[in-house]
Amino acid sequence: MSDTAVVRRFQRTVTQRIGALEDGFLARGRPLGQARVLWEIGEGVEVRALRARLGLDSGYLSRLLRALEAEGLVVVEGGGADGRVRTARLTPAGIAEREELDRRSDEAAAEVLAPLPAAQRDRLVAAMAEVERLLTASMVTVEALDPGHPAARRCVEAYVAELGRRFESGFDPARSLSAEDDELRPPAGMLLVATLHAEPVGCVAVKLHPRQSMAEIKRMWVDPSVRGLGLGRRLLAEAETRAAGHGVRTLRLETNRALAEAVALYRASGYLEVAPFSEEPYAHHWFAKRLR
Amino acid sequence: MSDTAVVRRFQRTVTQRIGALEDGFLARGRPLGQARVLWEIGEGVEVRALRARLGLDSGYLSRLLRALEAEGLVVVEGGGADGRVRTARLTPAGIAEREELDRRSDEAAAEVLAPLPAAQRDRLVAAMAEVERLLTASMVTVEALDPGHPAARRCVEAYVAELGRRFESGFDPARSLSAEDDELRPPAGMLLVATLHAEPVGCVAVKLHPRQSMAEIKRMWVDPSVRGLGLGRRLLAEAETRAAGHGVRTLRLETNRALAEAVALYRASGYLEVAPFSEEPYAHHWFAKRLR
DNA sequence: CTCATTCTCTGACCTTAGTCAGAGATCTAG
DNA sequence: CTAGATCTCTGACTAAGGTCAGAGAATGAG
């Protein structure tokens, strides 16, 4: 059976099995839209945040909130610093209702596993975890962003913070070799950002050198929550492809020994360790790869 | 993470990933209901069969068919033996449309796999196949049916046909030891039937002996399409539980060496080979198990 | 032949989900 | 202070999906 046939059978079976449990069972006769809103209101959310998270029209969300308010499950009130913004909060009844939904959701999940003997159940759970992880990986998109873009800023900040935590000596970007915004922005370079659910979860930069067929990899970072999904490898491959498109023949980079998984990634991706080519004070390893 | 938590995360991710591709992409601006009907009309289906299969209200289905007819994708015509029944059939345009849906469905499936490097793709496909298999297994229900029930009849016929194919000498039920309807119907015995998607896919019978703590397993059969899902083991376990409920302490059975997987199942389920206890001409192995 | 049942269809109606165009209050940059 | 932007809300509207109550034709049991 071809890969796509497997995916299609999978889809068919999953929607049948999981969908059947969801309907009515989980929502308790409540419209799905209302249930989703109920779920997303944690300990008070700004209405605009709710709108963004659920991707709803403002008029539609407003009406959903009115309906939940009428049932006494939610209160929406202003009074914050910004007088335009209102905040939705669960009432005790709303909290109880959400706990009920939670309980039912667990029950539905247990019902899927119940008919199976223990050995098969374990295999199913393991396979589901694997599918979940890999589907998550396949939802990540990679695109070039301007270093000034908020998502790009957050990535680079997370990168710096992580180096600070992991290097024995801490990390001060000012002491490190430069990778300023202008150096990572066309035409001088590029910054690729990986995004999952509208959140930046990884990045890599390429610093080009005018009239040279050599370029440098910088700012390689993957959010801890998505490690193990092969995202680092994907970012690196994408950077290589794009660099090659700019005429780059050789990529090089330096890294710190504290970043063991990064070192392993570079080796596995065909980077060979070379003699130090820079004065980077935080580096222990220098790598280079010739692009084909 | 608990098993139910894995199932819930799985559900969440899958509906996001698979659902997102489905919407609009597959239906081509066509309402989902219409697309589903288009899909289920193969080479002509009776309207009532369509209704049963899709679980739709007759009025609703009628309107869906009118809409598809208006687009020239479907014709609905009477003229069969039963003048009330009408049959829906795809026009050439309808066939083309369905092929287009098929193509898009494949494309959507490919799109899920596309962002992943080959190694991860293979793992995802393997994990999906595993989830699909095990979810299918968890959709199977097992219940006691009267031997005269059509589903029970079909099972037993399939059982006989398979023995006929697999025994070196063929299989003639008349020459075999008896297992008549009355012997497999309470109070003399029981017949358990496994059902998937309203189709019988396996069975097992228990033949009790009045005032004896011994009973016999008969008619053990699993449809080839669902082998490897542990259904045989489940049927056997269910039969044992129910037999124990009737005061049975020892179960025994005989089987033919051509049924290697059945023999393996019995051994794995705790049945021990014993000396022949019957004159069954088709048997090569006799097994017994003491129930706790 | 008759009466109940089956099958399909139409008309009336409903809920959910969602879009779009403002209104009114509030905030922010200049 | 003003103009434009932001935030929430209401009202008007739409499409999809579906239910329910018959009507009308055909069938099957007695």
Side-chain angles (χ1 to χ4, degrees):
Chain A
M1 190 157 47
S2 77
D3 284 0
T4 54
V6 172
V7 176
R8 288 179 61 179
R9 278 189 67 150
F10 169 84
Q11 177 192 2
R12 204 185 157 111
T13 303
V14 165
T15 49
Q16 260 182 38
R17 182 59 171 148
I18 306 283
L21 284 172
E22 216 173 24
D23 298 349
F25 190 49
L26 288 187
R28 294 230 286 162
R30 189 183 308 292
L32 210 97
Q34 281 183 34
R36 286 208 304 157
V37 170
L38 203 53
W39 193 260
E40 285 292 338
I41 303 176
E43 306 312 307
V45 194
E46 295 187 349
V47 171
R48 61 176 171 180
L50 211 49
R51 201 165 54 233
R53 209 178 306 165
L54 294 169
L56 296 177
D57 173 83
S58 73
Y60 184 35
L61 176 57
S62 186
R63 242 177 295 272
L64 288 175
L65 286 171
R66 286 305 81 68
L68 290 170
E69 241 176 355
E71 285 192 75
L73 303 174
V74 160
V75 283
V76 180
E77 33 189 23
D82 186 333
R84 295 165 301 183
V85 177
R86 303 188 69 201
T87 302
R89 194 164 50 70
L90 292 180
T91 63
I95 292 170
E97 182 68 14
R98 208 190 50 178
E99 273 161 10
E100 175 65 16
L101 287 181
D102 196 34
R103 214 182 50 68
R104 289 188 177 240
S105 193
D106 255 340
E107 223 172 78
E111 202 137 311
V112 171
L113 301 178
L116 297 175
Q120 291 195 347
R121 191 178 313 172
D122 292 347
R123 280 166 52 204
L124 177 56
V125 169
M128 280 182 161
E130 174 100 337
V131 168
E132 202 267 330
R133 266 168 34 82
L134 291 165
L135 278 186
T136 300
S138 97
M139 278 191 277
V140 174
T141 57
V142 173
E143 62 188 331
L145 289 187
D146 188 276
H149 188 287
R153 285 255 180 273
R154 261 185 291 166
C155 272
V156 173
E157 278 160 23
Y159 163 84
V160 169
E162 177 157 0
L163 296 196
R165 277 194 308 276
R166 295 184 62 182
F167 288 4
E168 302 97 340
S169 52
F171 178 66
D172 173 9
R175 287 191 52 219
S176 177
L177 292 184
S178 74
E180 299 305 319
D181 283 3
D182 273 342
E183 295 177 294
L184 305 184
R185 171 185 285 148
M190 67 187 88
L191 178 63
L192 304 181
V193 174
T195 305
L196 174 65
H197 301 142
E199 289 290 320
V201 292
C203 60
V204 68
V206 177
K207 191 171 159 185
L208 301 166
H209 294 280
R211 292 175 305 285
Q212 286 187 37
S213 68
M214 187 275 298
E216 277 152 33
I217 295 285
K218 293 269 173 194
R219 305 270 184 260
M220 180 76 200
W221 174 75
V222 173
D223 188 283
S225 71
V226 293
R227 288 193 191 157
L229 301 181
L231 183 52
R233 187 176 299 239
R234 205 173 134 199
L235 279 167
L236 200 52
E238 183 77 25
E240 289 170 7
T241 306
R242 298 203 187 208
H246 282 78
V248 172
R249 310 289 296 277
T250 305
L251 272 172
R252 59 189 202 183
L253 59 90
E254 64 263 297
T255 191
N256 185 291
R257 66 181 163 216
L259 305 176
E261 73 282 25
V263 172
L265 167 66
Y266 297 136
R267 289 194 207 280
S269 298
Y271 286 77
L272 300 175
E273 190 142 14
V274 295
F277 55 76
S278 71
E279 301 290 309
E280 171 61 50
Y282 291 106
H284 300 105
H285 300 282
W286 286 257
F287 285 99
K289 178 178 182 178
R290 180 136 191 95
L291 303 181
R292 269 130 308 150
Chain B
M1 191 156 47
S2 77
D3 284 359
T4 53
V6 172
V7 175
R8 289 178 60 179
R9 279 189 66 149
F10 169 84
Q11 177 193 1
R12 204 187 158 111
T13 303
V14 165
T15 49
Q16 261 182 39
R17 181 57 168 150
I18 306 283
L21 282 171
E22 218 173 22
D23 297 349
F25 189 49
L26 288 187
R28 293 228 285 162
R30 189 184 308 290
L32 210 97
Q34 281 184 33
R36 286 208 304 156
V37 170
L38 204 53
W39 193 260
E40 285 291 340
I41 303 177
E43 307 314 308
V45 194
E46 295 186 349
V47 171
R48 61 177 172 181
L50 211 49
R51 201 166 53 232
R53 208 177 307 166
L54 294 168
L56 296 177
D57 173 85
S58 73
Y60 184 34
L61 175 57
S62 186
R63 242 178 295 273
L64 288 174
L65 287 171
R66 289 302 83 67
L68 290 170
E69 239 176 356
E71 284 192 76
L73 303 174
V74 160
V75 284
V76 181
E77 32 188 25
D82 187 333
R84 295 165 302 182
V85 178
R86 303 188 69 201
T87 301
R89 196 165 48 70
L90 293 179
T91 63
I95 292 169
E97 181 68 15
R98 208 189 51 176
E99 273 162 10
E100 175 65 16
L101 287 181
D102 196 34
R103 214 182 50 67
R104 289 190 176 239
S105 193
D106 255 341
E107 223 173 76
E111 200 137 312
V112 171
L113 300 177
L116 296 175
Q120 290 196 346
R121 192 178 314 172
D122 292 346
R123 280 167 51 206
L124 178 55
V125 169
M128 279 181 162
E130 174 100 338
V131 168
E132 202 267 329
R133 266 168 33 81
L134 290 166
L135 279 186
T136 300
S138 97
M139 279 191 278
V140 174
T141 57
V142 173
E143 61 187 331
L145 289 186
D146 188 276
H149 188 288
R153 285 254 179 273
R154 263 185 290 167
C155 273
V156 173
E157 278 160 23
Y159 164 84
V160 169
E162 176 156 1
L163 296 196
R165 278 194 306 278
R166 294 183 62 184
F167 289 3
E168 302 97 340
S169 52
F171 178 66
D172 174 9
R175 286 192 53 220
S176 178
L177 291 184
S178 74
E180 299 306 317
D181 284 1
D182 273 342
E183 295 178 294
L184 306 184
R185 169 183 290 148
M190 68 186 88
L191 179 62
L192 304 181
V193 174
T195 305
L196 175 64
H197 301 144
E199 289 290 318
V201 292
C203 60
V204 67
V206 178
K207 191 170 158 185
L208 300 166
H209 292 281
R211 289 174 307 284
Q212 286 186 37
S213 68
M214 186 274 299
E216 276 153 34
I217 294 286
K218 293 269 172 193
R219 305 272 185 257
M220 180 77 200
W221 174 75
V222 173
D223 189 284
S225 71
V226 293
R227 289 195 189 156
L229 300 181
L231 183 52
R233 187 176 298 241
R234 206 173 134 200
L235 279 167
L236 201 52
E238 183 77 24
E240 289 170 6
T241 306
R242 298 202 187 210
H246 282 78
V248 172
R249 311 289 296 277
T250 306
L251 273 171
R252 59 190 202 182
L253 59 89
E254 64 263 293
T255 192
N256 186 291
R257 66 180 162 219
L259 306 175
E261 73 282 24
V263 171
L265 167 65
Y266 297 136
R267 287 194 206 282
S269 298
Y271 286 75
L272 301 175
E273 190 142 14
V274 295
F277 55 76
S278 71
E279 301 290 309
E280 171 61 51
Y282 292 105
H284 300 106
H285 300 282
W286 286 257
F287 286 98
K289 179 179 181 178
R290 180 139 191 92
L291 303 181
R292 270 132 305 148

